[in-house]
Amino acid sequence: MTEPTAPNGHLTAEAGGTKVQSLPITAPSPASKPNPEVPLTDAQKAKYAEVLASVATWKSIPASTIRTAPQADLTDHERMWLTRDCLLRYLRATKWNTAQALKRLQSTLSWRREYGADTFTADYISVENETGKQFQLGFDNEARPCLYLNPGNQNTKLSPRQNHSFCYMLDRIVELMPPGVEKSCLLINFKGAASGTVPSLAQAREALGMLQNHNPERLGKALISELPWYVSTFFKLISPFIDPVTRDKMRFNEDLKQFVPAEQLLDQYGGQVKFEYDHSVYWPAWTEECRKRREAYRERWEQGGKMLGEYEAYLRGGDHPSLRQETEAGQNGVAPPQGESAVDA
């Protein structure tokens, strides 16, 4: 027997008199609050303006990360990615070194082209998630989307698609971030993970590269639990490849109720959510939610004039004005470069 729960409209099933949730949680708990934005100093505003002015001159970028790669025109999708918040994330990741920030921004765009990140579809990734190996459910105390990773549910043989699926999930998690949120929370549980299901060292290094090099300042917390001895050894092997910033965000075998509201945390971690992963129910609903968020984000970008350096809070449907509205009102401390800020407006 199935019925929707009243508060959230999530599909549930009766199991021994207990309602078991099957659909995703699409909004944070009212108790979750995004961290307030830290105002930029005058020096930081100047560095941001320098990066924005440089990015505004980009007409093309290398088609791959190979040094001799040919140039290819910058697409609208790539321009949309170059938000104010994105530029600031790369500046923070490089300790406000403008040259390094620009180099890494271009490198990520070229890497995404080379890796095919924007070509992965829900149908292509679906098989990797049939057993609940990866799924998003709920939000942490800072309203950051929670991505559950369960290596013990490994269901496919070693292939590039395994890491493609992680890239795909990271991108979808970004789409689900509420206004004012730019980080995620990873909950990694190794229960039932046999030595053959633990990622290889090469896979781990590739996944770390996605997080550290191409999603800088995107990780809020990595909550890791139930590690068998061989996984502890695995972490020792990959430790040299984990940068200090990422390592500082890792927590091992801690009480997850410290980080995620009980009403949005799985009961196996001490929360109140009784969840059963049913791929045939969850996957279509979750991918549709992501699609709707993705389309609304793009529509707002287009309505705002396709501006480089747009505000993500506006793009995510928050009450922040668009960059064009703010610029026209004369309120923005860093005006976009004349003649370069609006693309095909």
Side-chain angles (χ1 to χ4, degrees):
M1 176 176 124
T2 61
E3 63 177 16
T5 58
N8 299 310
H10 301 144
L11 185 69
T12 59
E14 295 288 350
T18 301
K19 292 179 179 179
V20 179
Q21 184 163 311
S22 301
L23 286 183
I25 298 172
T26 58
S29 163
S32 297
K33 303 296 181 185
N35 290 321
E37 183 178 2
V38 178
L40 300 180
T41 66
D42 288 344
Q44 290 169 342
K45 288 179 181 178
K47 288 179 180 293
Y48 171 74
E50 181 182 343
V51 169
L52 178 62
S54 292
V55 167
T57 67
W58 292 359
K59 302 302 181 185
S60 62
I61 58 171
S64 75
T65 59
I66 300 172
R67 183 174 298 181
T68 57
Q71 295 281 317
D73 289 346
L74 201 66
T75 67
D76 261 10
H77 181 77
E78 291 166 334
R79 291 185 180 99
M80 183 172 65
W81 180 78
L82 292 164
T83 62
R84 174 182 185 271
D85 308 80
C86 175
L87 303 189
L88 289 174
R89 283 192 291 273
Y90 279 75
L91 276 165
R92 291 196 299 270
T94 56
K95 297 180 172 56
W96 298 90
N97 183 311
T98 55
Q100 286 297 313
L102 287 164
K103 181 179 179 180
R104 287 188 58 179
L105 281 161
Q106 183 261 295
S107 176
T108 290
L109 285 170
S110 294
W111 171 82
R112 291 186 65 85
R113 290 178 169 192
E114 180 180 63
Y115 198 65
D118 295 315
T119 69
F120 303 146
T121 65
D123 286 343
Y124 170 64
I125 298 299
S126 177
V127 66
E128 292 293 337
N129 287 357
E130 287 179 349
T131 58
K133 185 169 57 185
Q134 301 177 95
F135 62 85
Q136 184 272 326
L137 190 77
F139 300 76
D140 73 3
N141 291 334
E142 282 73 53
R144 301 178 295 212
C146 293
L147 176 61
Y148 287 83
L149 304 174
N150 302 295
N153 291 346
Q154 181 61 265
N155 63 316
T156 59
K157 294 181 179 180
L158 181 64
S159 73
R161 184 164 56 185
Q162 289 184 346
N163 270 14
H164 291 172
S165 69
F166 183 55
C167 176
Y168 178 87
M169 296 299 286
L170 289 178
D171 282 353
R172 304 291 79 76
I173 292 300
V174 169
E175 291 169 353
L176 295 173
M177 291 175 180
V181 175
E182 57 181 342
K183 297 177 186 282
S184 62
C185 180
L186 305 184
L187 295 91
I188 310 169
N189 188 294
F190 284 90
K191 182 178 181 179
S195 57
T197 64
V198 176
S200 68
L201 185 59
Q203 282 182 306
R205 289 185 63 181
E206 185 177 320
L208 279 171
M210 291 182 204
L211 280 172
Q212 297 175 168
N213 300 331
H214 303 302
N215 285 276
E217 299 289 306
R218 280 297 197 192
L219 179 63
K221 283 287 185 291
L223 308 174
I224 304 162
S225 55
E226 301 193 65
L227 282 76
W229 67 266
Y230 44 84
V231 174
S232 298
T233 301
F234 169 76
F235 271 102
K236 290 179 182 177
L237 290 173
I238 67 170
S239 181
F241 307 107
I242 303 175
D243 68 38
V245 174
T246 301
R247 188 180 295 112
D248 187 56
K249 296 174 181 179
M250 298 170 69
R251 299 290 185 274
F252 292 88
N253 296 319
E254 294 200 16
D255 181 0
L256 300 191
K257 296 192 297 297
Q258 298 178 68
F259 307 99
V260 183
E263 62 270 23
Q264 295 210 345
L265 179 65
L266 293 182
D267 60 350
Q268 70 187 74
Y269 299 116
Q272 300 170 1
V273 180
K274 296 186 180 298
F275 178 78
E276 180 177 309
Y277 188 82
D278 182 339
H279 191 68
S280 66
V281 174
Y282 176 94
W283 190 247
W286 187 75
T287 53
E288 174 62 15
E289 180 67 23
C290 293
R291 184 196 64 79
K292 290 192 297 185
R293 301 280 186 104
R294 185 164 57 250
E295 290 188 357
Y297 187 99
R298 186 176 186 89
E299 286 175 6
R300 283 187 284 268
W301 185 66
E302 292 174 346
Q303 291 167 2
K306 298 185 177 182
M307 304 280 273
L308 291 173
E310 185 58 90
Y311 289 97
E312 288 180 7
Y314 157 72
L315 294 171
R316 298 193 192 290
D319 57 9
H320 198 290
S322 69
L323 177 59
R324 183 167 66 180
Q325 291 171 327
E326 192 176 68
T327 301
E328 290 173 350
Q331 298 172 349
N332 185 28
V334 180
Q338 294 299 314
E340 297 287 355
S341 57
V343 181
D344 298 331

